[in-house]
């Protein structure tokens, strides 16, 4: 991990189009301003981890019994 020290109103740049600026330091909190293209997802760490966990849960394989029950239900609904 790269560790940098910055003061309020100082920034770091990532590539040509991402800037992270220290807006304020108040007690144990740091307020950051992030400028990045809309194509770059920016999340708080805990939100990113929750998204990853949800994606893992959604990607779990479905058992053959559950898949067959879903197919049966879909077939009944279409007739």
């Amino acid at each position: 991990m790269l560790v940098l020290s910055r003061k309020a109103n100082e920034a770091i740049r990532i590539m040509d189009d991402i800037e992270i600026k220290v807006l304020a330091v108040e007690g144990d909190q740091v307020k950051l301003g992030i400028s990045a293209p809309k194509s770059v997802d920016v999340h708080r760490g805990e939100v990113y981890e929750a998204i990853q966990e949800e994606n893992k849960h959604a990607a779990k394989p479905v058992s053959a019994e559950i898949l067959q029950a879903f197919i049966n239900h879909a077939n009944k609904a279409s007739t």
Side-chain angles (χ1 to χ4, degrees):
M1 173 187 294
L2 173 65
V3 178
L4 301 171
S5 296
R6 301 277 69 197
K7 296 176 182 174
N9 295 315
E10 292 182 340
I12 62 170
R13 292 199 62 98
I14 301 171
M15 306 289 285
D16 292 332
D17 51 2
I18 298 174
E19 181 179 75
I20 301 170
K21 186 173 185 178
V22 177
L23 299 177
V25 180
E26 298 170 1
D28 63 349
Q29 286 194 325
V30 177
K31 189 178 288 186
L32 301 172
I34 301 168
S35 297
K38 290 185 179 198
S39 61
V40 175
D41 292 334
V42 178
H43 302 284
R44 290 178 177 88
E46 63 275 17
V47 171
Y48 179 79
E49 290 172 11
I51 291 169
Q52 294 302 309
E53 192 62 35
E54 186 65 30
N55 287 343
K56 282 184 200 172
H57 180 71
K60 283 186 178 176
V62 176
S63 71
E65 293 88 18
I66 292 175
L67 183 58
Q68 188 60 51
F70 177 77
I71 291 169
N72 292 343
H73 179 74
N75 286 340
K76 284 182 184 177
S78 66
T79 57

